[in-house]
Amino acid sequence: MTDPWVILSLISAFTLATSDALTKRALRGANEYLVAWFRLIFSMPLLLLIFFLIPVPKLDAVFFKAFLLALPLEAATVILYVKALNRSPLSLTLPFLSFTPVFLIGISYLILGETVSIRGAIGILLIAAGSYIVNIGDMRKGILEPIRSLWKERGALMMLGVALIYGFTGPLGKMAIEHSSPLFFGFTYFTALTVIFSPIALWYGRADLKNLFAQGSYKRMMAPGILYSCMIISHMIAISLVQVAYMISVKRISILIGVVYGYLIFKETNIRERLFGALLMVAGFAAIVTAP
């Protein structure tokens, strides 16, 4: 029987990829900061409902320490992610998110003392390599094109920074979960993130906010927001059940799902070129779920 964390991680991957695809469609002609903000806002109702259905755990100093350390880092990733998408092509930025599981191998050990088996480490590296390859785009430019872009594309460097920061927020989030509960942390953490991000979004989107309400285009973020809340819930429960590096690696299959959406919804090309990356990710997934 498949472990619950695997199923939850796949749910997290699917809901994230679907939310991202719908968000990408909503971004057409819209302010990126406001779109990101409304996705957070529309994720709140389901999280609020969950919050009223769960007991409030006893909190200690470790919870508040992990929470307060992770929160500003999470806010920084939202800003860096938006800037990276604005400054550089997706094919040169998204591949760097695949490095997060690799960073987690060492960072999770330092923060949580978590270790991975040899088979698990191989699986993590295979998924990282596969998720890197499936986002390269035109492989005729070379498999190292995203790496070379670091010297000329600030957006690519920003996305590498996002991947590194995620390497810290993942273990810190799990630490907070271990000293509270998955659903309690998920609600309080993303509520606080929404509050912090609100003035940033309102400032950078102030010129477009009136039109967004007048045209009712903000409603396009309802479905992405609901799916995002489903991602949060499944992510928090899954990460509480297994090593952070394993869970995040499986969740990175969302990149592969995103490629499929890119082909079906946005008519993106180079799908055949990405088959090798997809096979690497499947092999890495098999290695992780069978790792001791």
Side-chain angles (χ1 to χ4, degrees), residues 36-257:
W37 183 53
F38 274 108
R39 180 162 81 162
L40 286 171
I41 288 176
F42 283 124
S43 72
M44 287 294 102
L46 181 56
L47 293 177
L48 183 62
L49 176 62
I50 295 294
F51 177 74
F52 282 115
L53 296 176
I54 61 172
V56 176
K58 184 179 180 180
L59 306 177
D60 58 16
V62 176
F63 168 82
F64 289 106
K65 178 181 178 180
F67 189 101
L68 294 175
L69 285 175
L71 189 59
L73 293 176
E74 195 77 47
T77 63
V78 175
I79 298 171
L80 285 175
Y81 195 96
V82 171
K83 287 184 175 293
L85 295 183
N86 272 335
R87 292 173 180 264
S88 302
L90 288 176
S91 60
L92 293 179
T93 55
L94 288 182
F96 290 101
L97 288 178
S98 63
F99 287 99
T100 298
V102 180
F103 292 144
L104 280 168
I105 295 177
I107 297 173
S108 291
Y109 175 76
L110 292 175
I111 296 178
L112 298 172
E114 289 185 347
T115 59
V116 298
S117 67
I118 294 177
R119 181 184 296 179
I122 292 173
I124 290 170
L125 294 176
L126 285 174
I127 287 182
S131 57
Y132 175 88
I133 290 173
V134 297
N135 274 287
I136 286 178
D138 190 352
M139 292 184 66
R140 287 173 294 182
K141 295 180 181 179
I143 197 170
L144 296 179
E145 180 63 19
I147 298 295
R148 287 193 289 267
S149 72
L150 284 173
W151 304 107
K152 57 184 179 182
E153 295 281 355
R154 291 190 62 188
L157 188 60
M158 289 177 180
M159 195 61 83
L160 181 61
V162 170
L164 178 59
I165 295 173
Y166 279 159
F168 287 94
T169 57
L172 287 172
K174 182 168 183 178
M175 181 183 293
I177 288 172
E178 290 176 341
H179 290 263
S180 57
S181 72
L183 296 180
F184 176 85
F185 172 72
F187 170 77
T188 55
Y189 187 66
F190 280 91
T191 298
L193 178 62
T194 302
V195 171
I196 288 178
F197 190 67
S198 291
I200 299 172
L202 291 172
W203 174 257
Y204 286 103
R206 61 191 184 280
D208 302 300
L209 188 61
K210 185 177 180 180
N211 289 335
L212 198 67
F213 278 104
Q215 299 171 3
S217 53
Y218 67 92
K219 296 177 183 178
R220 291 181 294 179
M221 295 310 301
M222 290 183 66
I226 293 171
L227 287 165
Y228 197 67
S229 63
C230 294
M231 180 279 293
I232 294 169
I233 293 168
S234 54
H235 173 104
M236 295 303 170
I237 298 175
I239 207 169
S240 68
L241 300 175
V242 72
Q243 290 93 319
V244 177
Y246 287 168
M247 185 271 155
I248 297 298
S249 295
V250 173
K251 186 181 176 181
R252 280 294 173 264
I253 290 178
S254 64
I255 296 175
L256 177 58
I257 301 172

Side-chain angles (χ1 to χ4, degrees), residues 22-42:
L22 294 176
T23 300
K24 180 177 175 65
R25 189 165 62 181
L27 276 168
R28 294 172 179 169
N31 181 283
E32 293 89 348
Y33 284 90
L34 292 178
V35 168
W37 183 53
F38 274 108
R39 180 162 81 162
L40 286 171
I41 288 176
F42 283 124

